């Protein structure tokens, strides 16, 4: 069977499984819709958390960025791993003890303020939309290649699928679907990695293969890649070129942003007791670690195979995968010296940014036009070529998906990877859509605007909000401001600048009051959002130059500064305004002291 048939089989079977689970576990009330009734088993919750966590950014883009950026790309690996540990050990047990469904719920009750709740709702929606845009883009990338449609059509197909099971099943349906998605994605990630590790190093364990000698050679695989990269004019693979302060800022923003991301925090409400929350956090860390420790190996395998396959190859003799990715718009070749061979080196971008785009990406001549194809039958671009000798553009988001094809693995492995990529993108997208719908139906309407709304009407409103959110997320997926992992990094930066200080100060200090919390969140998210917009999204001509970065920190890392601003503003404003009322100070004490000290048993999330 060919690759397309295998892809249809694996993707079709996995989708049938997800939809079947969504129907079987459909939500009957708001408790099921928001926190799956609070009775998910520990290991299942650990798997669901891992699937929620390992988004398209982790599955598709993280290894791709490490592959292209070398050491600099490892900031995503360090930041996301450290962030999960921070969340699981420092914050989750306390948030679970507070007994509320959502982060805006926590902030609204802790600071005894509807204004704080509303500000948190808008921060949650803003962060979640930024994050979900990356997931929808990842879905589009997978569909575009394996169903051979363009990326935008792929995004629309993903919207329809995720809309079905997120709206129908709520958190209950999403949780059990994510358990299945974790199994699919981890199997899909490991199988090709094991195959390629054996091919390149003879070692079946990818993590050990990364440190082994290349087959038939006396040098290590990383050393071989270093030499190959240097020979072609790229930076040495194991060194980086980002300023150390930017590496530190991005890693910190990803860590603390992780700890403030609402879709992961709500996972700790879906088990019965605090002790179960801790145990499910351990299981999730173990499940996440399996993929995260494999990612650097996949990055090195993919880079070695890519450089060895395409550099100085004749275009007409390249394998079919190259042209299929070119048709998807995610690989582009400009034959600058008209020799029919691909020059791929580190001399710079192959072409300039098109006036209609905000970043370097190919804009092809429309299919069916007379000048659609060049001399070697390659797709012609509207982009103006640059003066350097590099002729090839490779979107980092395709590295993991293309890796099995480049290594010439069997068709069923390639189809399996497609199913895994879709599982990763859809699992996180569903979790984020639930956060958006919960923020609107529960935090904004039920807790603020219309407390008398019935349970049935609230559930209907949550489903309508999820439907609208899918459409908006699809728009941002079609028009993303960067690669998947970079878009996601913006979301983490926004979460770092808004939620993290409010949560930490809410748990560990009694002095910070509603005025400080609201001022801090607004200052942090406005500063971070404006910085990201100015250097990334502003129209050409208004956009800032990277050489003007504040302290050399890029938009991906600016959430670190936004977080410090939030902390400073929140503490300063609180010191110049009245102390929180006595019952709030008692509430903070109650979060930090075990309930057993009061002779109480943790009974799970409070009913709203």
């Amino acid at each position: 069977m060919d690759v397309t048939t295998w892809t249809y089989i694996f993707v079709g079977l996995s989708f049938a499984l997800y939809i079947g689970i969504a129907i079987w576990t459909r939500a009957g009330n708001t408790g099921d819709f928001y926190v799956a009734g609070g009775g998910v088993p520990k290991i299942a919750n650990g798997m669901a958390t891992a699937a929620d966590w390992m988004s398209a950014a982790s599955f598709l883009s993280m290894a791709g960025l490490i592959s292209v950026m070398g050491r600099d790309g490892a900031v995503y690996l360090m930041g996301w791993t450290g962030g999960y540990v921070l969340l699981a050990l420092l914050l989750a047990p306390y948030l679970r003890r507070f007994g509320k469904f959502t982060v805006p719920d926590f902030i609204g009750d802790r600071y005894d303020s509807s204004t704080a709740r509303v500000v948190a709702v808008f921060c949650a929606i803003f962060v979640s939309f930024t994050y979900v845009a990356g997931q929808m883009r990842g879905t589009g990338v997978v569909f575009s290649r394996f169903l051979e449609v363009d990326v935008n059509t792929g995004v629309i197909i993903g919207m329809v699928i995720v809309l079905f099971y997120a709206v129908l099943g709520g958190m209950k349906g999403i949780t059990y679907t994510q358990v299945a998605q974790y199994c699919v994605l981890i199997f899909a990630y490991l199988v090709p990695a094991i195959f390629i590790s054996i091919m390149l190093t003879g070692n079946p364990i990818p993590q050990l293969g990364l440190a082994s000698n290349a087959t038939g050679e006396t040098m290590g695989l990383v050393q071989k890649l270093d030499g190959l990269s240097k020979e072609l004019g790229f930076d040495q693979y194991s060194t980086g070129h980002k300023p150390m302060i930017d590496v530190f800022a991005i890693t910190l923003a990803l860590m603390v942003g992780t700890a403030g991301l609402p879709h992961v925090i709500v996972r700790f409400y879906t088990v019965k007791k605090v002790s179960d929350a801790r145990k499910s956090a351990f299981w999730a860390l173990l499940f996440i670690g399996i993929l995260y420790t494999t990612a650097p190996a996949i990055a090195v395998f993919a880079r070695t195979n890519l450089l060895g396959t395409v550099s100085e190859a004749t275009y007409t003799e390249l394998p079919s995968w190259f042209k299929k990715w070119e048709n998807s718009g995610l690989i582009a070749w400009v034959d600058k010296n008209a020799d029919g061979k691909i020059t791929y080196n580190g001399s710079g971008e192959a072409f300039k940014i098109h006036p209609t785009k905000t970043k370097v990406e190919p804009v092809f001549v429309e299919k069916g036009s007379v000048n659609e194809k060049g001399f070697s039958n390659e797709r012609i671009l509207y982009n103006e070529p640059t003066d350097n000798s590099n002729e090839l553009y490779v979107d980092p988001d395709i590295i993991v998906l293309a890796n099995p094809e480049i290594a010439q693995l069997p068709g069923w492995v390639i189809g399996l990877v497609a199913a895994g990529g879709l599982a990763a993108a859809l699992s996180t997208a569903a979790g984020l859509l639930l956060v958006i719908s919960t923020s609107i139906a529960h935090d904004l309407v039920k807790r603020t605007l219309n407390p008398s709304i019935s349970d049935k009407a609230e559930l209907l409103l949550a489903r309508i909000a999820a439907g609208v959110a899918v459409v908006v997320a699809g728009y941002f997926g079609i028009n993303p401001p960067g690669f998947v992992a970079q878009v996601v990094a913006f979301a983490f930066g926004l979460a770092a600048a808004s939620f993290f200080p409010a949560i930490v100060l809410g748990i560990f200090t009694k002095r910070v009051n509603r005025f400080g919390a609201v001022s801090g969140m607004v200052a942090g998210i406005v500063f971070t959002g404006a910085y990201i917009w100015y250097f990334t999204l502003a129209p050409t001509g208004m956009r800032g130059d990277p050489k003007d970065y504040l302290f050399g920190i890029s938009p991906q890392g600016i959430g670190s500064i936004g977080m410090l601003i939030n902390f400073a503003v929140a503490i300063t404003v609180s010191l110049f305004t009245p102390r929180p009322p006595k019952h709030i100070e008692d509430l903070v004490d109650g979060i930090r002291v075990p309930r057993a000290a009061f002779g109480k048993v943790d009974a799970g999330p409070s009913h709203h």
Side-chain angles (χ1 to χ4, degrees):
M1 282 192 282
D2 62 14
V3 172
T4 305
T5 308
W6 278 116
T7 304
Y8 280 128
I9 290 173
F10 279 113
V11 172
L13 286 176
S14 58
F15 277 18
L17 178 64
Y18 306 152
I19 291 170
I21 292 172
I23 293 171
W24 172 56
T25 57
R26 63 186 178 277
N29 54 53
T30 50
D32 284 347
F33 195 87
Y34 294 144
V35 291
V40 178
K42 298 181 285 290
I43 297 181
N45 198 48
M47 281 189 181
T49 307
D52 220 343
W53 186 261
M54 292 185 295
S55 60
S58 297
F59 190 96
L60 299 179
S61 205
M62 184 171 65
L65 286 175
I66 297 173
S67 182
V68 172
M69 298 167 68
R71 188 205 69 181
D72 291 343
V75 295
Y76 297 97
L77 183 67
M78 294 186 293
W80 286 330
T81 306
Y84 183 78
V85 174
L86 186 67
L87 172 64
L89 299 183
L90 182 65
L91 299 180
Y94 296 106
L95 290 170
R96 180 65 172 73
R97 285 282 309 282
F98 201 76
K100 294 295 176 184
F101 283 159
T102 65
V103 175
D105 233 3
F106 168 80
I107 290 175
D109 284 11
R110 159 59 183 84
Y111 294 107
D112 194 23
S113 164
S114 295
T115 306
R117 188 190 311 276
V118 170
V119 170
V121 166
F122 283 105
C123 288
I125 293 172
F126 193 40
V127 169
S128 298
F129 269 126
T130 308
Y131 198 178
V132 81
Q135 311 312 312
M136 299 314 295
R137 167 76 178 172
T139 309
V141 169
V142 179
F143 276 126
S144 68
R145 163 62 186 87
F146 294 105
L147 299 184
E148 299 189 16
V149 296
D150 66 37
V151 174
N152 296 349
T153 308
V155 170
I156 293 168
I157 296 171
M159 286 165 59
V160 173
I161 298 289
V162 80
L163 178 66
F164 180 81
Y165 70 79
V167 171
L168 183 67
M171 178 57 93
K172 193 173 179 184
I174 287 171
T175 297
Y176 290 104
T177 305
Q178 284 173 337
V179 171
Q181 286 168 334
Y182 176 78
C183 298
V184 172
L185 76 86
I186 200 65
F187 192 62
Y189 206 75
L190 292 181
V191 168
I194 291 169
F195 268 109
I196 299 172
S197 183
I198 293 171
M199 289 167 61
L200 292 182
T201 68
N203 194 319
I205 302 173
Q207 292 88 340
L208 298 179
L210 179 63
S212 305
N213 285 350
T215 303
E217 299 186 31
T218 54
M219 70 172 71
L221 191 61
V222 176
Q223 283 177 295
K224 179 183 174 182
L225 182 55
D226 271 345
L228 198 54
S229 301
K230 206 171 170 183
E231 191 181 311
L232 293 173
F234 292 102
D235 291 333
Q236 193 167 307
Y237 187 77
S238 55
T239 60
H241 66 277
K242 273 184 180 294
M244 192 50 71
I245 188 171
D246 196 27
V247 170
F248 178 78
I250 295 174
T251 305
L252 180 62
L254 293 173
M255 279 183 68
V256 296
T258 295
L261 271 181
H263 77 295
V264 178
I265 289 174
V266 76
R267 278 263 152 241
F268 295 97
Y269 294 127
T270 57
V271 290
K272 286 182 179 172
K273 299 182 293 186
V274 171
S275 57
D276 288 350
R278 289 198 184 96
K279 288 171 187 167
S280 66
F282 163 77
W283 284 112
L285 186 59
L286 178 67
F287 295 137
I288 291 168
I290 295 171
L291 186 142
Y292 272 38
T293 55
T294 309
I298 287 184
V300 170
F301 298 159
R303 189 70 177 165
T304 306
N305 278 332
L306 182 68
L307 293 182
T309 303
V310 303
S311 190
E312 293 305 315
T314 302
Y315 177 84
T316 52
E317 295 174 0
L318 279 169
S320 60
W321 62 263
F322 187 95
K323 288 157 195 170
K324 287 180 178 174
W325 280 112
E326 186 186 26
N327 285 333
S328 300
L330 298 169
I331 279 183
W333 174 55
V334 187
D335 193 7
K336 292 179 181 174
N337 54 9
D339 65 349
K341 290 185 176 180
I342 293 174
T343 303
Y344 184 37
N345 60 38
S347 59
E349 299 287 358
F351 44 78
K352 298 178 181 175
I353 299 177
H354 190 270
T356 61
K357 300 292 179 183
T358 57
K359 63 186 178 71
V360 176
E361 62 179 304
V363 179
F364 292 99
V365 172
E366 294 80 8
K367 289 181 180 176
S369 304
V370 236
N371 54 350
E372 176 197 353
K373 295 294 177 82
F375 183 76
S376 299
N377 209 31
E378 79 278 14
R379 293 187 71 184
I380 296 296
L381 297 163
Y382 283 123
N383 305 68
E384 189 181 338
T386 47
D387 295 331
N388 61 57
S389 58
N390 180 37
E391 299 177 340
L392 186 65
Y393 165 87
V394 179
D395 190 316
D397 289 343
I398 71 169
I399 293 292
V400 168
L401 294 172
N403 197 23
E405 293 178 284
I406 299 172
Q408 300 180 334
L409 294 183
W412 67 268
V413 178
I414 299 165
L416 181 63
V417 172
L422 287 171
L426 294 177
S427 61
T428 305
L432 291 165
L433 290 171
L434 192 70
V435 168
I436 295 169
S437 65
T438 305
S439 297
I440 293 171
H442 179 69
D443 298 316
L444 190 61
V445 176
K446 174 76 177 179
R447 296 301 306 272
T448 310
L449 301 178
N450 184 13
S452 62
I453 188 172
S454 68
D455 196 66
K456 190 176 176 183
E458 186 187 347
L459 186 59
L460 177 64
L461 181 62
R463 284 180 164 143
I464 293 172
V468 174
V470 168
V471 175
V472 178
Y475 171 80
F476 286 115
I478 290 170
N479 301 286
F483 302 114
V484 173
Q486 289 170 330
V487 175
V488 168
F490 294 152
F492 280 70
L494 293 167
S498 55
F499 285 135
F500 184 75
I503 293 172
V504 169
L505 293 172
I507 294 171
F508 296 104
T509 73
K510 292 190 282 189
R511 183 62 184 85
V512 174
N513 60 20
R514 69 180 71 170
F515 307 107
V518 170
S519 308
M521 282 193 291
V522 171
I525 203 162
V526 167
F527 168 79
T528 306
Y531 191 90
I532 290 171
W533 177 84
Y534 178 64
F535 284 106
T536 311
L537 305 173
T540 308
M542 289 178 63
R543 194 175 310 152
D545 192 314
K547 69 183 181 194
D548 297 325
Y549 284 164
L550 184 66
F551 306 124
I553 296 174
S554 64
Q556 285 83 21
I558 201 61
S560 301
I561 303 298
M563 174 194 66
L564 295 178
I565 290 173
N566 186 335
F567 270 120
V569 170
I571 293 170
T572 305
V573 171
S574 296
L575 290 176
F576 286 95
T577 46
R579 291 185 68 87
K582 178 73 168 52
H583 73 276
I584 293 297
E585 295 191 355
D586 292 343
L587 189 66
V588 176
D589 282 336
I591 299 174
R592 297 190 305 211
V593 179
R595 292 188 186 187
F598 304 101
K600 296 178 181 175
V601 177
D602 176 37
S606 304
H607 202 277
H608 62 295

